[in-house]
Amino acid sequence: MTATEHPGYMTFSDLGLSEDVLRAIADAGYSEPTPIQAEAIPYVLMGRDICGCAQTGTGKTASFTLPMIDILAAGRAKARMPRSLILEPTRELAAQVAEAFDTYGKHHKLSKALLIGGENLSDQAKVLNRGVDVLIATPGRLIDMFERGHLLLNDVKVFVIDESDRMLDMGFIPDVERIAAMLPPLRTTLLFSATMPPAIRKLAERFLMNPKEITVARPSTTAATITQGLLMLGRPKDRKPGADQKMKREALRKLIKAEQPRNALIFCNRKRDVDIVHRSLCRHGLDAARLHGDMAQSVRMETLASFKNGEVKYMVCSDVAARGLDIPEMSHVFNFDVPTHAEDYVHRIGRTGRAGREGRAFTIATSEDRKYLRAIEHTIGKPIPLMDGDTPPKPVVDEPAVDEPAADEKKAPSENKEARPAKGSDENNGGSSDTQRPKREPRQRRQREEKPRQSNEPAKEAAKGTGRPPKRDDNDTPKNDGPVKGLGDHVPAFLMRDPGTGTGSA
Ligand code: AMP
């Protein structure tokens, strides 16, 4: 989306940003602000609270990082007292925001720290001790560090709650409320959410003062076209257990052979299938890697790097990668499994066809997937063109499936999410959201941050009889081998660097 589609054409220099920030924007190659940037930046610079209904792909990260850089340019951070705080639901999103500060703050000397699970606590404490202007954190790790006395939040001037509906989805809202209660009342608070379910509205009412409400519609009308195809498989002739999976693997190889992708993401719903499909592709001589949430962070980073730089052509992955990859020249996406959440289909196929290029996305399905396919087709508002299994898919270039579900579908999932607080969340155990000093439970918190939800059984129960797919399972453990959460909208350079301390100067 560009500013030209926005009422009242604006350039970056109309927004009140400093010359140094404008230079960094020019270096990034942006010619004009996106609608959320055009609307939000002047208000953030004025110190107004923002309630932004926008999702990844709209340029929302820059809508808060750019003005924050200017706001924080004057002043100095004291030891253990960050001057701003950005909460993100996942480590990868946090890393992505850290990267945005590197990009846009390149002509400034702001210091930043990233507090995310999986990084060394004492290294993080050392960085906090030196004083940071920008603190980007996942809620659990932040509370952990606060409880250990490494952190004071009295000096926070700008507080960002990003991806609020995903925080809700992952059971982090009580943590967010606790954190908000530790902050000084005089501050700017910016809340972003792709959807505005009642729980997020309540959060906004509670923590935002006279906010400027900004809603941006679907991202990027400049998105490339994506050719979609659905390969419907019949019953396998062989009735042995696992025969249908074998048939799907054969179909996948056929598709790959017919399509000759430059590179491709191959999505499976379960981690164990990621492993199986990965092994199978390798056995058949295909150059494949795998990525899912059970893998160590360092291995994930290496895998992403080798895929991004073209060392491996195929990456078999869970939905963990769906929202996290921004590889401009990704030629193909294959859904080895039909996603059980319609929005995941949109995010998966949105990994290809980026930046005006053609992309191709193919889904392998069996008759058991029909109800999920119906939900997907309802979400994207059209049928996925059916392919003939024996012939290479014909290009049926369709309007882009975009990076987000249509507005009317967006509402329902999050409203359901709200009705079902994540197991282990404080909503379930009566935890107070207002406590100034949270209870001491750092270990559980760390675990929760990495494996936020323990079971999706209630969701499955709830979904029974409704014809709707069960809710997504955020637990990425082998026991509960359900689909996993997405990341952010691209692979930050940060993830490609040496794990180190995860901190540095912007
Ligand atoms: P976000 O919605 O923050 O995840 O941003 C999505 C992508 O848009 C990122 O890769 C940004 O680098 C890019 N982006 C942000 N602002 C602009 C802009 N004004 N013009 C072009 N690209 C942008």
Side-chain angles (χ1 to χ4, degrees), residues 309-337:
N309 67 26
E311 276 167 39
V312 286
K313 213 166 162 177
Y314 304 103
M315 181 139 82
V316 190
C317 55
S318 64
D319 283 288
V320 131
R323 296 180 199 196
L325 291 179
D326 183 14
I327 297 171
E329 295 190 35
M330 177 98 67
S331 74
H332 283 71
V333 166
F334 296 104
N335 287 320
F336 180 79
D337 295 309

Side-chain angles (χ1 to χ4, degrees), residues 72 74-86 110-113 115 124-136 142 145-146 149-158 182-184:
L72 298 169
R76 223 167 149 257
K78 300 185 200 90
R80 292 184 295 154
M81 295 179 81
R83 296 168 64 219
S84 64
L85 172 63
I86 300 164
L110 294 178
S111 57
K112 68 171 195 306
L115 287 191
Q124 293 186 338
K126 274 186 214 148
V127 179
L128 288 176
N129 225 8
R130 289 201 289 269
V132 293
D133 297 304
V134 182
L135 179 61
I136 306 150
L142 182 104
M145 292 300 266
F146 183 85
H150 295 306
L151 187 62
L152 288 165
L153 295 171
N154 315 28
D155 204 25
V156 169
K157 291 174 179 59
V158 186
M182 296 172 201
L183 300 173

Side-chain angles (χ1 to χ4, degrees), residues 1 12 25 28-34 37 55-63 96 104 326 354 488-490:
M1 204 173 307
F12 273 113
I25 292 168
Y30 305 162
S31 51
E32 53 197 32
T34 65
Q37 292 163 4
Q55 61 172 39
T56 52
T58 56
K60 79 170 157 64
T61 313
S63 78
Q96 185 174 303
Y104 310 132
D326 183 14
R354 290 174 87 77
D489 203 36
H490 71 182

Side-chain angles (χ1 to χ4, degrees), residues 2-142:
T2 67
T4 41
E5 292 153 38
H6 187 253
Y9 175 80
M10 288 240 186
T11 66
F12 273 113
S13 45
D14 297 327
L15 303 180
L17 293 163
S18 70
E19 284 304 319
D20 283 341
V21 168
L22 290 177
R23 260 197 304 146
I25 292 168
D27 295 345
Y30 305 162
S31 51
E32 53 197 32
T34 65
I36 184 105
Q37 292 163 4
E39 287 214 49
I41 291 171
Y43 285 100
V44 182
L45 288 172
M46 274 186 245
R48 262 292 279 280
D49 285 1
I50 300 276
C51 182
C53 193
Q55 61 172 39
T56 52
T58 56
K60 79 170 157 64
T61 313
S63 78
F64 62 83
T65 47
L66 294 170
M68 278 177 75
I69 290 167
D70 275 343
I71 291 168
L72 298 169
R76 223 167 149 257
K78 300 185 200 90
R80 292 184 295 154
M81 295 179 81
R83 296 168 64 219
S84 64
L85 172 63
I86 300 164
L87 292 182
E88 295 289 338
T90 66
R91 305 173 196 179
E92 284 81 3
L93 280 168
Q96 185 174 303
V97 171
E99 192 203 14
F101 273 99
D102 285 340
T103 306
Y104 310 132
K106 63 194 272 199
H107 302 301
H108 288 76
K109 287 201 165 48
L110 294 178
S111 57
K112 68 171 195 306
L114 197 52
L115 287 191
I116 53 177
E119 301 279 348
N120 185 298
L121 277 167
S122 63
D123 286 345
Q124 293 186 338
K126 274 186 214 148
V127 179
L128 288 176
N129 225 8
R130 289 201 289 269
V132 293
D133 297 304
V134 182
L135 179 61
I136 306 150
T138 45
R141 179 54 71 101
L142 182 104

